[in-house]
Amino acid sequence: MKSISIFLLLFLSCYFGTEAQQLPFSQADATLPALAYSACAWGDYDHDGDLDLAFTGAEGNNPVTRILRNDNGIFTDLEANVQGLHYGSVEWGDYDSDGDLDLLVTGIDSQGNPYTIIFKNTDGLFADAGCNLPGVMDGQASWGDYNNDGNPDILLVGSSMGRIYRNDGNGQFIDINAQLPNLETAMCCWNDYNNDGKSDVLVCGYAEGTMVSKLYQNNHGIFSEVIISPEPIVGLYGGQAKWADLDNDGDQDLVIAGMDINIEGYFLIYRNDGYDHFTRFSESAANLLNPSIDIGDFDQDGLPDIVLIGSIPGCGGPAVTMLLQNMEFMNFLEVSTLLPGYRMGGVTWGDYNNDGFTDLLLTGIDTFGAPNTGLYLNNLGDTTLIALNTPPSPPQGLNVTMEAEKAILHWNSATDAQTPKNAMSYNISIGTSPGSFDIFSPLSVPATGLRKITAPGNASADTSWIISGIPGGTYYFSVQAIDNGFMPGSFSTPLMFDFTPMGIAAPEQSTFSISPNPCQNRLMIHNGTSATFDLNILIVNELGRTCYQGNNPKEIDISSWSDGIYLVQSTTGKGTQSVKLIKN
């Protein structure tokens, strides 16, 4: 087991050079709500080009949810009429693809009632979208498109739950009955850890008398636990997990902080070596209790850095804030920042003043045991040691290939002066007209590339992406690159493509059906049409290859077929109908 290197004195003498040079952060002159048991997120909800803020947390004994508008560094509370919550999570996303950032929050009210709510943004006014999701406490909800249909789905953990809700694009979220553990005091995140173009899932928390941290691979909407070598991820709760390409090799590594069943703190990095092999790195100095983390490139060297808050173990251990600078090869230096300590709260990077350098927002209980929130400016842009961050180039070489009922979008890697090309993430926009994103929202402004949230792109580090479940028609797609400091480049010139799904919709009078679906062994064929018509069945796999063809079958043995999605096409004298089949 290799330790993360922490050489504070060396960093101070070599990096800053003289006492006259300033520390990397200074407190901004901003009035923000002081909140305990809190969470926070940046997002440009009003389309004015600067990052606004959302908080949940407790003001004294009063849970609150606050949305603050940023007007050139001046924050104004919207006083939105939204449910006040604490002990939860908050995340921006565009669930209805209308271009407005909506807000997904979890937590409990003052009576301990749990909630999970989507607050719909309509021209800057927020209201409960009425999606009737189950509430969780000490849990988390996160957006992610697991089925590649352009509609952000929800991963939800906590209150003895572990669920994925499919967004059908009509305001309805359907539990897909994913076989995830039922978790308490839980954390979760989406990520395409194996670069196959599908969003996988990590969940952590307390389950059945022990702590678990489990990675689930997305196999066409069926989630299977990954057997990680050489050892499982340490089971943790009460913290946070994030993915980032820490070594710039093109795949996502895992940073996780939390506590084990003995309430011992852990801060761990798992380097993704491919083929489900993860190498563990740890540092005992960062083993904090009740931690939160975020990852971003604060010094514009192209390497993701880590900020960590929590409390030092032991009775009355003080709250601390740690900044770990990435020195390559999984070596990290603790930077002297003189930032105050925080615990039981949130931490997030975001360039709130648009100077090209990521600033730092901290919220929670401070070292003196009081609720606090601080915004800290990144001063490194004022020194001669750091060059101004520049945006990546627009990706080139866009093309589209078709397979059965999906389109596969391709592009070439972009270039950037600071971030290596393997480490950049990509952000896709798909719409029914040039510049629109009514199919797949990038959470960016297509005309300018300006990002609405502080996060990697929706396609992760992949240079291809699958879109499926869309009707036949003409579409336009473009893509932008995002560097490790979350600076976006311009979108590429949109590429038009025509998409024709395999099969033709059945006329209303057809009553063909199959069961069970999903199916493991024997597939039953139900033909409700007139006996005067033969029923021809054609089944193809995702590559369009024929797996079965025959007339009037009653039952088909599929036990030897590979797991995945198949297309069952029936043809009679009344027309043609296609049905998706999941084999598991």
Side-chain angles (χ1 to χ4, degrees):
M1 184 185 302
K2 182 177 177 181
S3 295
I4 299 173
S5 304
I6 299 183
F7 303 109
L8 176 57
L9 293 178
L10 176 63
F11 178 79
L12 288 173
S13 62
C14 295
Y15 188 79
F16 290 106
T18 68
E19 293 182 0
Q21 290 172 321
Q22 58 194 356
L23 292 169
F25 295 95
S26 61
Q27 188 161 13
D29 183 15
T31 301
L32 300 170
L35 302 175
Y37 317 114
S38 47
C40 53
W42 294 103
D44 182 13
Y45 81 88
D46 57 355
H47 312 285
D48 67 350
D50 50 26
L51 293 172
D52 310 299
L53 275 171
F55 292 93
T56 63
E59 287 181 333
N61 295 322
N62 182 34
V64 299
T65 300
R66 299 204 183 283
I67 302 170
L68 277 64
R69 187 181 68 244
N70 177 7
D71 297 313
N72 296 318
I74 305 299
F75 290 91
T76 302
D77 192 334
L78 293 188
E79 298 182 355
N81 185 24
V82 293
Q83 176 68 53
L85 300 171
H86 62 333
Y87 287 106
S89 64
V90 57
E91 187 172 325
W92 294 99
D94 184 7
Y95 87 99
D96 51 1
S97 296
D98 65 352
D100 293 328
L101 288 184
D102 310 300
L103 196 61
L104 175 63
V105 299
T106 69
I108 57 173
D109 64 12
S110 57
Q111 284 75 46
N113 300 310
Y115 289 86
T116 300
I117 306 175
I118 299 172
F119 292 113
K120 177 177 170 57
N121 175 6
T122 305
D123 298 325
L125 299 177
F126 290 84
D128 189 336
C131 295
N132 298 317
L133 296 164
V136 297
M137 67 172 293
D138 275 343
Q140 186 177 356
S142 185
W143 300 107
D145 184 13
Y146 85 91
N147 57 352
N148 295 84
D149 66 350
N151 298 314
D153 311 301
I154 294 175
L155 173 61
L156 181 64
V157 294
S159 296
S160 296
M161 281 189 294
R163 299 181 185 177
I164 295 173
Y165 287 88
R166 186 184 68 243
N167 180 358
D168 284 340
N170 56 3
Q172 300 299 313
F173 288 82
I174 308 300
D175 187 349
I176 69 168
N177 296 313
Q179 299 302 303
L180 305 180
N182 295 320
L183 298 168
E184 298 179 12
T185 318
M187 47 187 170
C188 65
C189 52
W190 298 92
N191 188 265
D192 180 16
Y193 85 96
N194 56 356
N195 291 343
D196 67 350
K198 297 184 287 291
S199 295
D200 309 300
V201 162
L202 178 78
V203 296
C204 311
Y206 179 84
E208 298 180 354
T210 189
M211 304 302 167
V212 300
S213 295
K214 294 181 179 290
L215 178 62
Y216 289 84
Q217 181 180 350
N218 178 359
N219 182 17
H220 307 291
I222 305 299
F223 289 83
S224 304
E225 184 178 353
V226 178
I227 306 303
I228 293 174
S229 62
E231 60 182 15
I233 301 171
V234 174
L236 298 176
Y237 80 110
Q240 204 162 18
K242 297 267 187 175
W243 293 90
D245 187 3
L246 299 177
D247 53 358
N248 289 346
D249 66 348
D251 53 26
Q252 300 289 295
D253 311 298
L254 175 64
V255 181
I256 184 171
M259 298 173 289
D260 68 7
I261 198 164
N262 298 314
I263 319 182
E264 298 287 341
Y266 282 81
F267 172 78
L268 302 170
I269 292 175
Y270 288 88
R271 187 185 65 207
N272 185 352
D273 299 321
Y275 302 102
D276 301 339
H277 187 285
F278 287 82
T279 299
R280 172 179 161 179
F281 299 79
S282 65
E283 173 50 52
S284 60
N287 288 345
L288 305 180
L289 305 181
N290 300 305
S292 291
I293 58 176
D294 201 13
I295 305 173
D297 182 12
F298 89 96
D299 55 357
Q300 310 302 5
D301 65 351
L303 294 164
D305 310 297
I306 303 169
V307 62
L308 171 75
I309 66 171
S311 57
I312 294 175
C315 183
V320 296
T321 298
M322 301 177 67
L323 176 60
L324 303 179
Q325 186 195 23
N326 190 340
M327 303 301 291
E328 294 187 288
F329 309 113
M330 295 300 174
N331 292 311
F332 289 79
L333 301 176
E334 183 182 356
V335 178
S336 177
T337 63
L338 302 185
L339 291 170
Y342 288 81
R343 62 183 175 87
M344 301 296 292
V347 54
T348 183
W349 299 104
D351 182 11
Y352 97 99
N353 58 354
N354 289 329
D355 67 350
F357 286 80
T358 51
D359 309 304
L360 195 56
L361 179 69
L362 302 162
T363 180
I365 300 173
D366 65 20
T367 300
F368 303 101
N372 202 351
T373 297
L375 176 59
Y376 298 89
L377 291 171
N378 187 336
N379 297 323
L380 295 186
D382 299 330
T383 73
T384 59
L385 297 176
I386 306 295
L388 182 67
N389 192 21
T390 55
S393 66
Q396 303 295 320
L398 277 65
N399 67 88
V400 181
T401 58
M402 306 293 176
E403 291 184 5
E405 290 195 326
K406 62 186 177 183
I408 305 176
L409 317 178
H410 307 266
W411 58 91
N412 297 333
S413 298
T415 58
D416 184 71
Q418 290 79 33
T419 300
K421 69 176 184 178
N422 287 340
M424 282 185 288
S425 65
Y426 295 93
N427 200 35
I428 298 170
S429 175
I430 307 175
T432 53
S433 61
S436 71
F437 45 83
D438 50 327
I439 300 299
F440 198 10
S441 174
L443 302 183
S444 296
V445 180
T448 63
L450 192 64
R451 197 83 164 109
K452 295 182 182 180
I453 61 172
T454 302
N458 53 29
S460 189
D462 297 327
T463 54
S464 65
W465 196 250
I466 299 167
I467 185 73
S468 61
I470 58 176
T474 299
Y475 297 94
Y476 298 80
F477 106 85
S478 57
V479 61
Q480 68 177 154
I482 298 174
D483 71 14
N484 276 335
F486 305 119
M487 176 170 281
S490 299
F491 276 92
S492 62
T493 301
L495 177 70
M496 184 185 76
F497 66 97
D498 292 317
F499 178 63
T500 304
M502 180 179 293
I504 304 171
E508 289 185 2
Q509 64 267 32
S510 175
T511 56
F512 159 77
S513 63
I514 60 175
S515 69
N517 192 10
C519 181
Q520 291 182 334
N521 299 310
R522 308 196 73 81
L523 180 69
M524 307 302 296
I525 308 297
H526 308 287
N527 179 15
T529 59
S530 169
T532 59
F533 294 111
D534 285 336
L535 178 69
N536 179 268
I537 296 295
L538 171 67
I539 305 179
V540 297
N541 64 14
E542 290 182 284
L543 299 179
R545 295 170 182 164
T546 299
C547 300
Y548 175 87
Q549 188 168 14
N551 289 324
N552 301 315
K554 301 295 185 182
E555 185 177 301
I556 302 172
D557 184 0
I558 66 170
S559 59
S560 63
W561 295 10
S562 300
D563 290 353
I565 295 179
Y566 294 77
L567 188 69
V568 182
Q569 180 177 285
S570 70
T571 302
T572 71
K574 291 188 175 183
T576 300
Q577 180 180 3
S578 296
V579 177
K580 281 185 180 179
L581 165 67
I582 298 175
K583 166 66 170 66
N584 61 11

